[in-house]
Amino acid sequence: MIVELLAALALATFIAGRAAGPLAHHPHPRFAAITLVVVALGAAAATGLLLYELAAVGLAQIPSFARSGHWSADVIEDSLAVPAPLGGVLAALALAASLSTLGQLVRAGRQLMITRRWRRECGPDDGGLIITDGSPGAPAFALPGRRAAVVVARELLGRLDGRERRALLAHEESHLRHRHHVYVQLVALAAAANPVLRPLIAATRLATERWADEDAAAAVHDRMTVARALAKAGLLRGSGVAPPSALAAAESDLAGRLRHLVRPDVGHRSPVAVVLLAGSTLLALGTAGAVAALAHGWFEAAQAAYGHR
Amino acid sequence: MRRDREPGGLEREILACLAAHGRPMTAGEVQGDLPGDLAYTTVMTTLARMHAKRALHREPRGRAFAYSLPAGVDAARASMTAFQMRRLLDSDADRAGVLAQFVAQLAPDDERLLQQLLDDPGTAP
């Protein structure tokens, strides 16, 4: 029974990981981004719940625990047949997942602290726009937080015309207004709890970038202007020393974004992907919920049996 | 979307315009360089307001003013934080960073694609 339950969870999260990629090319990137976050959080919650529940059932058979908890270790043992050693392994996994999630929180917190400190060093009033000269090294990005700002390299601004500048600003302002960094961070947290969910991070990132691209296109009423601004920024950035291995196989994010900008009809709704994502989340949560309900019954029976000794 | 309705949007556009040209500009010159849906008076009053907030310098030019960015507006370069920021932004392996870059690092094929898009807009990627 344990094997089946864990396999169901593994399968569900694996399917979610595979179905995430196509969704990032949905015609409505906002829908894609929200769906991916919900799926990621649901699958991660189910993972944590299931691990902790099974670990608890396994460890509950240990006589000293059973005595202090006032339940019959035998009844628990007969119920789900989680051998105590397996319970220990599952407990270790649950702990690892929790520590990993905590680690990701700390990492994100540290990054936010660095950006906040840098923001302070940039000086008080900048009208919400920080102009850099060669440092810190990216042509343009959005700085979230209480004193949010758009950061752009002077060299990039010099290469854009008025409409392209507006498109760039609108793109970054969209990130700030919709707090896209929160979407990505939530998915990163979920992936820290269950690494099988990692593909959802890139998919969420692409979805939020395309979301901002769409907002930018609406601001200047022209998709090609956004595409040109992207192209000029990309050429300024230059190609990386070594592309991440994932890019070698698939199309890069930038190429994908340009494709959607130049030909808006290129997005596909991927109903199969949506159904798979919804189904896998429900399967994962259902598995965890079922075990929770069963375990509740077992513990009640075990406590009753203890009382009748 | 009218820029003067987006909070801070027009101010950012003006700052970007001045930074792009790197020289003092009058309200008329700024309005000419921004997309055409902005009224001259809107641009002028925003420039004046930004000057009052000390976000811009201005100097007389004829009967008008020429506005410019205050000196030293670029971020501190040598500090430890700037170094950390650069590392943060360059580490593309960690795609779960808190900062959303307009363009992350390119794949080798991308440069050709981008140049093609700029040279010949008709060809779709």
Side-chain angles (χ1 to χ4, degrees):
Chain A
M1 175 82 131
I2 311 296
V3 176
E4 283 90 335
L5 288 170
L6 291 171
L9 181 74
L11 182 68
T13 46
F14 176 75
I15 290 175
R18 304 301 297 171
L23 195 66
H25 294 280
H26 194 278
H28 299 301
R30 179 194 189 115
F31 165 75
I34 294 172
T35 303
L36 286 165
V37 171
V38 170
V39 167
L41 291 177
T47 304
L49 274 173
L50 191 62
L51 283 176
Y52 272 107
E53 283 159 3
L54 292 177
V57 173
L59 294 177
Q61 295 162 73
I62 296 175
S64 44
F65 287 168
R67 266 196 301 275
S68 50
H70 300 297
W71 58 66
S72 156
D74 294 329
V75 173
I76 301 281
E77 195 176 333
D78 290 340
S79 59
L80 190 54
V82 182
L86 181 57
V89 169
L90 291 168
L93 279 176
L95 193 64
S98 309
L99 287 174
S100 172
T101 310
L102 201 65
Q104 174 60 32
L105 257 174
V106 168
R107 207 176 318 148
R110 225 183 306 146
Q111 287 187 356
L112 277 173
M113 254 177 41
I114 293 175
T115 57
R116 213 143 284 172
R117 216 183 310 144
W118 184 78
R119 174 85 178 79
R120 257 199 313 272
E121 283 178 14
C122 288
D125 201 303
D126 43 44
L129 180 70
I130 298 172
I131 296 151
T132 63
D133 286 294
S135 124
F141 57 93
L143 246 180
R146 211 171 12 100
R147 290 166 67 215
V150 176
V151 183
V152 194
R154 193 185 303 264
E155 195 181 347
L156 175 58
L157 290 175
R159 297 185 184 193
L160 304 176
D161 68 28
R163 292 181 74 215
E164 288 160 359
R165 289 195 306 263
R166 176 179 287 193
L168 167 58
L169 291 174
H171 174 102
E172 299 304 339
E173 284 162 3
S174 167
H175 281 321
L176 295 175
R177 187 168 62 247
H178 297 296
R179 302 197 211 287
H180 288 154
H181 67 292
V182 175
Y183 287 70
V184 178
Q185 283 311 304
L186 285 175
V187 178
L189 275 176
N194 186 340
V196 181
L197 294 169
R198 259 199 216 128
L200 273 78
I201 300 177
T204 309
R205 171 76 81 199
L206 179 55
T208 54
E209 288 300 332
R210 283 192 50 227
W211 182 349
D213 287 340
E214 294 298 324
D215 282 350
V220 294
H221 311 293
D222 178 35
R223 303 176 76 82
M224 278 309 294
T225 304
V226 184
R228 275 198 313 276
L230 268 178
K232 293 183 181 181
L235 287 171
L236 186 62
R237 189 93 162 77
S239 55
V241 174
S245 55
L247 285 186
E251 145 190 271
S252 75
D253 273 8
L254 182 57
R257 287 166 65 189
L258 287 171
R259 211 161 36 84
H260 284 280
L261 281 169
V262 173
R263 281 196 303 220
D265 55 322
V266 106
H268 41 269
R269 289 180 179 274
S270 319
V272 174
V274 176
V275 168
L276 284 176
L277 286 169
S280 56
T281 314
L282 288 173
L283 176 62
L285 288 171
T287 309
V291 171
L294 287 170
H296 180 71
W298 294 323
F299 272 98
E300 275 198 342
Q303 283 179 321
Y306 192 86
H308 283 133
R309 249 176 0 131
Chain B
M1 177 177 85
R2 282 183 47 165
R3 291 302 283 170
D4 49 335
R5 291 219 195 94
E6 169 82 28
L10 181 54
E11 296 197 0
R12 274 191 277 259
E13 273 198 62
I14 287 174
L15 289 168
C17 173
L18 291 171
H21 293 278
R23 56 174 175 82
M25 296 169 73
T26 62
E29 288 171 331
V30 171
Q31 191 220 7
D33 193 53
L34 296 186
D37 58 349
L38 292 161
Y40 175 80
T41 46
T42 310
V43 175
M44 195 184 62
T45 45
T46 309
L47 283 165
R49 192 173 59 236
M50 289 171 77
H51 171 256
K53 282 200 305 181
R54 300 184 186 289
L56 292 177
H57 282 168
R58 77 178 179 194
E59 60 203 35
R61 186 191 293 176
R63 282 188 301 159
F65 287 110
Y67 293 84
S68 56
L69 295 172
V73 101
D74 48 317
R77 294 186 212 203
S79 77
M80 185 62 189
T81 320
F83 173 71
Q84 287 173 314
M85 283 291 287
R86 177 174 264 274
R87 277 194 35 221
L88 209 155
L89 290 160
D90 276 351
S91 66
D92 214 55
D94 173 22
R95 312 193 59 208
V98 292
L99 298 174
Q101 297 185 42
F102 190 48
V103 174
Q105 271 183 340
L106 310 191
D109 262 353
D110 286 343
E111 265 188 278
R112 182 184 48 84
L113 215 141
L114 300 182
Q115 199 58 59
Q116 194 176 11
L117 189 140
L118 292 173
D119 294 337
D120 185 4
T123 50

